[in-house]
Amino acid sequence: MRIIGIDPGLRICGYGCVQIERGALEPTLVEAGIIKLNTKADIPDRLMQLHEELTDLITEIKPDQMAVEKLYAHYKHPRTAILMGHARGVILLCAKQVKIPVIDLPSTEVKKSFTGYGHASKSQIQLAVQTQYSLPEPPSPPDVADAIAIATTHARRIAVEQLG
C-alpha cells in the first residue's frame, strides 16, 4: 500500500510517499519533496497552483491513501490557522477528486511516533527521518521530513492493524 503524507503550507507544501508491504513492519521511502508556491501571488492564485501541482503529483505517484497533519490553532496566531485551513482544504479536495481516503494525524502523534516525544523540534524530526531511512543527510527543508514522518506514522498504523 502506498501512502502520501502532506505537510500543508502556503509557501512550501511538503510531501513524502512511503510504501508498506503486507506483513512488513516498516515502510520504504518512495519519494519526497516540496511543492514551492509562488509567494508573490495572492492566496487564491497560490491555492490554484497547489491544486494543480498536487493533482499532478498524486496522478504520478498513485497513492492508495493520503495522511495529512491535523490543523491546530495557537491562540496567539489564529490567522495562521485560518490560512493553513485554506491550503488544507485544497489538499483534501485533491484527494477527494481522485477518490483516495484521507487520514488526519495530530502532529504530537507523529512526533511521538518518530522521536518518543510529542513536542519534538523540527530538527529532531529531520534527524529521526534521516536515521529511519538511512539518508545521507536530513531531509530539507523541514516540511519534507514532516511529510515523510506523517506518511510513515500512518503506514506503521496499517502494519499494526494487519498484525492484529
Side-chain angles (χ1 to χ4, degrees), residues 70-140:
K70 271 189 182 176
L71 186 62
Y72 67 92
H74 192 281
Y75 69 93
K76 290 183 181 178
H77 307 286
R79 186 174 189 284
T80 302
I82 292 166
L83 291 173
M84 285 304 106
H86 294 325
R88 197 170 184 284
V90 167
I91 291 162
L92 299 179
L93 174 64
C94 289
K96 189 68 173 175
Q97 286 178 320
V98 295
K99 299 175 177 54
I100 58 174
V102 177
I103 292 79
D104 294 316
L105 294 173
S107 62
T108 52
E109 180 182 338
V110 174
K111 291 174 180 182
K112 189 169 186 172
S113 166
F114 257 80
T115 67
Y117 178 58
H119 298 285
S121 68
K122 295 267 188 199
S123 62
Q124 288 171 317
I125 295 296
Q126 286 175 286
L127 291 172
V129 169
Q130 177 189 16
T131 301
Q132 164 80 31
Y133 290 106
S134 302
L135 302 174
E137 57 190 37
S140 185

Side-chain angles (χ1 to χ4, degrees), residues 6-26:
I6 305 289
D7 183 36
L10 283 172
R11 290 182 303 126
I12 294 174
C13 183
Y15 70 88
C17 183
V18 299
Q19 186 150 334
I20 185 92
E21 301 297 334
R22 184 167 281 285
L25 295 177
E26 289 292 337

Side-chain angles (χ1 to χ4, degrees), residues 20-75:
I20 185 92
E21 301 297 334
R22 184 167 281 285
L25 295 177
E26 289 292 337
T28 56
L29 182 61
V30 176
E31 181 179 334
I34 60 168
I35 297 172
K36 188 172 183 176
L37 302 174
N38 179 1
T39 56
K40 293 180 180 162
D42 62 11
I43 298 296
D45 286 339
R46 285 192 230 177
L47 295 173
M48 179 62 88
Q49 179 189 355
L50 176 59
H51 181 269
E52 290 170 354
E53 292 191 30
L54 184 55
T55 298
D56 290 347
L57 180 66
I58 290 170
T59 301
E60 178 188 321
I61 292 177
K62 297 178 180 38
D64 300 297
Q65 294 185 8
M66 178 185 284
V68 183
E69 187 174 86
K70 271 189 182 176
L71 186 62
Y72 67 92
H74 192 281
Y75 69 93

